[in-house]
Amino acid sequence: MRHHDPMGGGRYYKLNMVLKKPEKGGRFHADKVIFSLFDRVILFRPDLYDHSVSRIEQGRRVLLSLAIHLP
């Protein structure tokens, strides 16, 4: 489901690292990203821009996600 993550103030950043991509589906979409490296390392602002992941149809998706909230 497309959504954004309101934080009520400050700046919120997420760094997602896809450790294992599914065979089919599970693709990340965002209205805007700060950078993306091979669709595996993605830095974006989840508080400002809508984002989602498509349905995983085959296999599984393993993700390491780091978040930081700055005042």
Side-chain angles (χ1 to χ4, degrees), residues 1-2 5 11 13 16 19 22-23 26 28 32-35 37 40-41 48 50 54 56-57 59-60 63 68-69:
M1 180 185 317
R2 285 183 62 76
D5 306 330
R11 294 169 291 159
Y13 297 89
N16 287 348
L19 304 177
E23 287 82 31
F28 176 78
K32 184 176 180 180
V33 298
I34 297 168
F35 76 81
L37 182 63
R40 291 189 83 96
V41 179
L48 297 180
D50 283 349
S54 66
I56 296 172
E57 298 176 27
R60 56 184 217 160
L63 179 79
I68 186 166
H69 183 232

Side-chain angles (χ1 to χ4, degrees), residues 11-26:
R11 294 169 291 159
Y12 184 40
Y13 297 89
K14 264 200 180 171
L15 178 66
N16 287 348
M17 294 165 274
V18 181
L19 304 177
K20 179 174 174 34
K21 285 188 173 189
E23 287 82 31
K24 190 174 182 185

